[in-house]
C-alpha cells in the first residue's frame, strides 16, 4: 500500500511540523465568487460556489442564481456528494451570513445561524471561520485562487446558455476533466492525489437534509405568490388560498397540501414575475379576449413553449371562426398539453394546419397519432395543405379506433 505523506515531504524524511492542510482528507475550503453569463439571451450576474480539498486540490463547483443560505447548503450537498465523503478536519470559510449570525470581536468565536448549525451537525462538518479583515485574507487562499482559475479557464468568453441546469451540466464535465491537471510543479495529477484522499473522508449521512426554505403564502388575485421580492404563478383555482412554498437556490416549488402545483426556475433580478401560461387557461377559456395581451403568453413565447406553429394555427383558426372562437379553440389545444408531450402537440398542430383542420379535436388526434408512433417530425410554420390528411373524430370513431380524451 502506498505511503500517505504530507505534500512536499520527500520519502524517508521526517515529517517535522506540518499543517493539517497537508494531510489527506483533513481540510477543505469553501467560498462564493460572482460570474457573468448570458442566460436565455440576457446578461446576468450569478454565483459560483466552490469547495476545494486542501491536500489534493480536488475542487467541485456549482452555479446558482443567488448566494443565499439555500445556495450555500445546496453547494455543500452537491460537493460532498461528488467527493463521496466529508473532510475529517476543518472546513474553512468566510463569515458569510448564511453561516454566521454575529462575529465576536477579532477572535474566531462566532454566533452561528441556527439552520447552519443543524446542517453542519447533520454532515459532521467542523467549521473554521477566517479572521475578519486583512489578517484572515490568506487563510483560504486555495479556494480563492481556484475560483479565479476556474473563471479564467471556463467562463471566458462569457458562456451563453438557456438555463442554469444546462450550465451546471457543463460545470460538472469541466470538474471531471480537471482531475487530469497538475497543480504547478506537483509530480502527480489532482485525480491521483484525490485517489489517496478519497478513502480517508468521513462517510456521508444516510438521511438527506432539506436545504430549501419553507414559506406559507397567500395566493393573490392574479394567481401569484410573492417570494423574496419576486412573483410566481400558480393555477387560478388557488386564488385566495394559502399554499406552501419551498424556496431552493435555483427553483421555487409550490404545494397545495402535499400536492405539487407549480415549479419555477428562480428569478435572478428583483421585482420580476414568472408566469406559466398553463396556470391561466381555465380563466382565459372563459375570457378569450384577454389572451392576446397576456403577460404569460409573452413569457411562453420567449421560453419557446408557444411556437410559430402555435401562432400560425391560431391565425388560421381566427380567420375561419372569428377572433373569439378561434382563440378559444387555441386555448382548448393548449389544455391538451397537460396530457400530451409538447413535441407531439406541436406536430399535431402542424399536421392539422396543413390540412386546414382548425379544431382542437383534429389537433388532438394528430398529436395522439404522433405519440403512438413515438415520432415527432419537425414542424414548420408554413405547412402545405396538399401534403397531409387529417383523420377527424367522427371518422376515427366509426373505424372503432380508441377515443381521444379532450380537456374541456
Amino acid at each position: 500500500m502506498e505511503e500517505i505523506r504530507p505534500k512536499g515531504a520527500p520519502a524517508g524524511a521526517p515529517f517535522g511540523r506540518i499543517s493539517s492542510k497537508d494531510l489527506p482528507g483533513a481540510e477543505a475550503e469553501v467560498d462564493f465568487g460572482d460570474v457573468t453569463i448570458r442566460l436565455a439571451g440576457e446578461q446576468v450576474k450569478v454565483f459560483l460556489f466552490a469547495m476545494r480539498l486542501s491536500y489534493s486540490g480536488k475542487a467541485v463547483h456549482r452555479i446558482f442564481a443567488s448566494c443565499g443560505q439555500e445556495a450555500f447548503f445546496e453547494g455543500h450537498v452537491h460537493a460532498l456528494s461528488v467527493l463521496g465523503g466529508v473532510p475529517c478536519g476543518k472546513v474553512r470559510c468566510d463569515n458569510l451570513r448564511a453561516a454566521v449570525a454575529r462575529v465576536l470581536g477579532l477572535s474566531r468565536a462566532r454566533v452561528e445561524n441556527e439552520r447552519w448549525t443543524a446542517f453542519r451537525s447533520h454532515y459532521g462538518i467542523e467549521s473554521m471561520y477566517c479572521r475578519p479583515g486583512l489578517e484572515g485574507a490568506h487563510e483560504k487562499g486555495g479556494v480563492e485562487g481556484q475560483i479565479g482559475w476556474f473563471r479564467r479557464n471556463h467562463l471566458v468568453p462569457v458562456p451563453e446558455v438557456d438555463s442554469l441546469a444546462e450550465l451546471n451540466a457543463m460545470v460538472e464535465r469541466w470538474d471531471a476533466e480537471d482531475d487530469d491537471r497538475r497543480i504547478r510543479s506537483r509530480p502527480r495529477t489532482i485525480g491521483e492525489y484525490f485517489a489517496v484522499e478519497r478513502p480517508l473522508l468521513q462517510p456521508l449521512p444516510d438521511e438527506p437534509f432539506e436545504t430549501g426554505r419553507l414559506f406559507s403564502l397567500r395566493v393573490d388575485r392574479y394567481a401569484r405568490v410573492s417570494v423574496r421580492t419576486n412573483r410566481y404563478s400558480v393555477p387560478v383555482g388557488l386564488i385566495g388560498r394559502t399554499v406552501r412554498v419551498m424556496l431552493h437556490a435555483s427553483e421555487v416549488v409550490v404545494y397545495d397540501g402535499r400536492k405539487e402545483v407549480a415549479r419555477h426556475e428562480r428569478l435572478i433580478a428583483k421585482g420580476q414575475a414568472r408566469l406559466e401560461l398553463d396556470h391561466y387557461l381555465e380563466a382565459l377559456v372563459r375570457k378569450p379576449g384577454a389572451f392576446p395581451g397576456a403577460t404569460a403568453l409573452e413569457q411562453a413565447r420567449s421560453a419557446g413553449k408557444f411556437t410559430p406553429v402555435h401562432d400560425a394555427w391560431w391565425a388560421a383558426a381566427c380567420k375561419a371562426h372569428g377572433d373569439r372562437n378561434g382563440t378559444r379553440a387555441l386555448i382548448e389545444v393548449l389544455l391538451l398539453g397537460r396530457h400530451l408531450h409538447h413535441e407531439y402537440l406541436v406536430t399535431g398542430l402542424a399536421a392539422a394546419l396543413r390540412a386546414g383542420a382548425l379544431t382542437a379535436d383534429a389537433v388532438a388526434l394528430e398529436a395522439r397519432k404522433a405519440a403512438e408512433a413515438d415520432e415527432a417530425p419537425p414542424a414548420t410554420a408554413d405547412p402545405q395543405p396538399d401534403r397531409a390528411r387529417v383523420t377527424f373524430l367522427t371518422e376515427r370513431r366509426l373505424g372503432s379506433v380508441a377515443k381521444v380524451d379532450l380537456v374541456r
Side-chain angles (χ1 to χ4, degrees):
M1 181 176 177
E2 182 180 359
E3 181 184 13
I4 299 172
R5 307 182 64 78
K7 289 185 294 185
F15 289 171
R17 186 175 180 180
I18 59 173
S19 166
S20 58
K21 287 186 176 183
D22 297 326
L23 295 176
E27 284 201 12
E29 300 172 0
V30 299
D31 203 4
F32 275 110
D34 44 296
V35 297
T36 299
I37 65 169
R38 288 193 64 82
L39 181 63
E42 181 181 357
Q43 186 162 303
V44 296
K45 182 175 76 171
V46 291
F47 299 90
L48 175 67
F49 174 90
M51 174 179 281
R52 181 182 185 273
L53 293 176
S54 300
Y55 172 79
S56 63
K58 170 71 174 176
V60 182
H61 305 84
R62 197 78 171 168
I63 291 179
F64 296 105
S66 78
C67 59
Q69 191 177 71
E70 301 84 24
F72 191 59
F73 288 178
E74 288 183 32
H76 276 81
V77 171
H78 172 70
L80 296 175
S81 175
V82 171
L83 296 174
V86 182
C88 57
K90 294 179 174 59
V91 176
R92 297 170 182 257
C93 66
D94 273 334
N95 301 287
L96 301 169
R97 285 195 296 176
V100 176
R102 186 154 52 96
V103 177
L104 301 178
L106 298 178
S107 68
R108 294 194 189 277
R110 304 289 184 269
V111 176
E112 291 186 330
N113 182 289
E114 289 184 7
R115 290 196 76 225
W116 168 243
T117 301
F119 179 88
R120 69 175 188 81
S121 298
H122 181 82
Y123 278 93
I125 295 172
E126 182 182 351
S127 295
M128 176 182 175
Y129 303 105
C130 298
R131 294 184 184 276
L134 295 176
E135 188 178 352
H138 68 284
E139 293 184 333
K140 57 177 184 60
V143 71
E144 291 179 355
Q146 170 65 34
I147 288 175
W149 184 93
F150 191 89
R151 272 194 293 228
R152 292 189 300 273
N153 286 271
H154 296 306
L155 300 173
V156 177
V158 173
E160 298 190 30
V161 293
D162 292 327
S163 67
L164 290 183
E166 178 186 347
L167 180 57
N168 277 316
M170 298 162 61
V171 169
E172 290 179 20
R173 186 179 73 249
W174 295 332
D175 281 349
E177 293 170 353
D178 201 34
D179 283 352
D180 296 328
R181 181 169 65 94
R182 283 182 169 84
I183 298 175
R184 295 186 295 275
S185 60
R186 298 181 70 182
R188 300 179 187 175
T189 65
I190 291 172
E192 289 172 325
Y193 281 107
F194 179 62
V196 174
E197 192 167 29
R198 167 64 185 87
L200 302 176
L201 299 175
Q202 299 180 92
L204 295 169
D206 295 329
E207 297 296 324
F209 185 95
E210 178 52 70
T211 58
R213 179 68 65 86
L214 184 64
F215 301 90
S216 290
L217 301 172
R218 188 176 179 83
V219 180
D220 68 17
R221 62 182 178 140
Y222 300 108
R224 304 172 306 184
V225 290
S226 181
V227 188
R228 294 275 178 86
T229 76
N230 290 317
R231 294 178 173 84
Y232 302 87
S233 68
V234 301
V236 291
L238 296 174
I239 289 176
R241 298 268 297 273
T242 297
V243 295
R244 294 186 305 120
V245 179
M246 185 66 74
L247 177 66
H248 295 284
S250 298
E251 64 180 4
V252 176
V253 187
V254 184
Y255 299 91
D256 180 29
R258 294 186 178 183
K259 180 183 178 183
E260 180 183 319
V261 293
R263 183 180 291 262
H264 296 277
E265 185 173 342
R266 184 170 173 174
L267 289 162
I268 295 176
K270 295 182 179 181
Q272 294 187 329
R274 176 150 281 154
L275 309 179
E276 181 69 40
L277 182 59
D278 181 75
H279 293 160
Y280 297 95
L281 295 180
E282 284 86 356
L284 290 169
V285 78
R286 296 192 302 270
K287 298 180 179 180
F291 185 82
T295 303
L297 173 60
E298 292 307 310
Q299 291 194 8
R301 277 200 180 99
S302 299
K305 297 178 181 179
F306 195 91
T307 67
V309 178
H310 286 82
D311 272 316
W313 192 93
W314 183 16
C318 288
K319 184 177 181 179
H321 308 305
D323 289 347
R324 183 179 181 83
N325 290 333
T327 300
R328 182 177 282 119
L330 174 69
I331 296 170
E332 291 178 353
V333 169
L334 295 176
L335 284 165
L336 294 171
R338 297 178 180 178
H339 305 281
L340 292 168
H341 192 279
H342 177 75
E343 188 177 8
Y344 299 141
L345 192 59
V346 174
T347 300
L349 278 166
L353 182 57
R354 285 194 295 268
L358 303 173
T359 66
D361 286 359
V363 174
L365 285 169
E366 293 306 309
R368 290 282 188 183
K369 285 161 62 177
E372 289 166 4
D374 195 27
E375 60 181 43
T380 59
D382 53 348
Q384 301 297 321
D386 59 342
R387 295 184 184 177
R389 177 177 181 274
V390 171
T391 305
F392 291 90
L393 270 176
T394 304
E395 183 179 346
R396 191 170 174 94
R397 285 169 180 160
L398 289 174
S400 299
V401 184
K403 296 180 181 180
V404 174
D405 296 326
L406 290 179
V407 179
R408 292 293 185 184

